[in-house]
Amino acid sequence: LTEGVLAEIEGALSHHELIKVKVPTDDREEKSLIMEAIIRETQAQKLQVIGHVLIMYRQSEEKKIDIPRA
């Protein structure tokens, strides 16, 4: 997880609010640590993990998407 990757994730979140990030590793512990680091660094919400894909959301200033609370 490099600064460049985090910058791309930040840009995508700012523009789209809801994104998917693929974490290509077979080590479950490493995958979990990387996903948690992404969530922590971007201050986004983890919505779901499906296999190697992290689905995350962070509201932008334009508030494009409304996520219903369960």
Side-chain angles (χ1 to χ4, degrees):
L1 185 62
T2 64
E3 290 296 321
V5 170
L6 280 174
E8 287 295 320
I9 292 171
E10 285 282 345
L13 277 170
S14 295
H15 187 261
H16 298 287
E17 290 186 331
L18 182 68
I19 66 169
K20 297 187 289 187
V21 177
K22 186 172 184 179
V23 180
T25 182
D26 291 328
D27 184 349
R28 285 180 183 233
E29 187 174 327
E30 181 181 20
K31 179 176 69 172
S32 177
L33 289 172
I34 291 171
M35 288 182 179
E36 291 305 317
I38 291 170
I39 294 297
R40 181 179 63 250
E41 294 295 321
T42 61
Q43 298 177 349
Q45 293 177 321
K46 177 171 71 173
L47 299 181
Q48 190 173 24
V49 175
I50 303 172
H52 295 281
V53 179
L54 168 64
I55 302 169
M56 53 196 289
Y57 169 79
R58 185 178 72 196
Q59 186 176 0
S60 69
E61 291 180 17
E62 288 113 29
K63 201 172 185 184
K64 300 173 186 175
I65 300 172
D66 282 325
I67 303 279
R69 299 287 177 196

